[in-house]
Amino acid sequence: MLKSRKELDAELDGAARAWLDGALAEAAHDAAARAQAGGDAGTPPPGSPYASPPWELRYAAAGRHCGQAHADSVRSLLLTEARAPLPSVTRLYEQGTAAERRAVLLTLDRLGLGDSALPLVEDALRTNDTRLVAAAVGPYAAARLDPHAWRHAVLKCLFTGVPVDAVARLGERARGDAELARMLRDFAAERTAAGRDVPADLRTALALALTTPAAPTEES
């Protein structure tokens, strides 16, 4: 779970807090500079020696300065403080380690990017890295993936062993989904025919898909 700035301040030592203060100040400065320039997204200021905004370099160093246990939260704060535009988000994902990619995925729902970051979610769901798959099925995917892609994301979790509890809004989106129910039954049949166990999580998702959605109530 991502931690707030207040929670991080309570857990980080003095050196790490000072580093985080500087990193967030750079992110805020970049956000303000882009706003003043009319939203020239994801490019460094004129004359800057950096190939990308300085806070992006801090993003990669978060684990080293604040500890790996806090790296996701620190990176998420940097992204939100910078109001990271799509070019920055894409660059950090494509050039990052698995841990850096995970932090991007965990923060997508906080960045106001609309559907534009869906290719990053789709890329993560093509991998078999359970860290990325679990991060990819969070609130952003729940809000943005179309039904076909979302159903396949649920199956990807089952295939890779990611608990379906990681799927944001599973109960809401799976409930009464006959096509998802069919796909889950087919997946279970394939597992059984191959002599493999059917994951308990599959039964959980199938039970939701077979549940009839509640009828809307009329306002009195």
Side-chain angles (χ1 to χ4, degrees), residues 83-163:
R83 298 196 292 274
L86 184 63
S88 287
V89 171
T90 301
R91 182 163 52 242
L92 291 171
Y93 180 87
E94 292 180 345
Q95 298 179 4
T97 64
E100 292 161 24
R101 292 183 173 199
R102 180 179 65 238
V104 167
L105 295 166
L106 290 172
T107 313
L108 288 179
D109 64 305
R110 306 181 181 196
L111 299 178
L113 296 172
D115 291 343
S116 65
L118 276 174
L120 305 184
V121 172
E122 293 162 355
D123 178 83
L125 291 172
R126 285 193 291 269
T127 75
N128 288 321
D129 187 325
T130 55
R131 297 168 297 176
L132 297 184
V133 173
V137 292
Y140 182 83
R144 300 289 175 180
L145 282 179
D146 65 37
H148 177 77
W150 185 83
R151 293 176 189 123
H152 280 279
V154 173
L155 286 178
K156 184 72 175 195
C157 288
L158 295 169
F159 179 77
T160 58
V162 171

Side-chain angles (χ1 to χ4, degrees), residues 2-45:
L2 296 175
K3 297 179 181 179
S4 68
R5 174 69 187 281
K6 183 177 180 180
E7 290 170 324
L8 285 172
D9 281 346
E11 297 180 19
L12 296 174
D13 62 25
R17 286 197 302 273
W19 183 90
L20 180 56
D21 285 343
L24 291 175
E26 288 183 350
H29 176 77
D30 182 59
R34 281 186 285 104
Q36 187 174 15
D40 188 14
T43 58

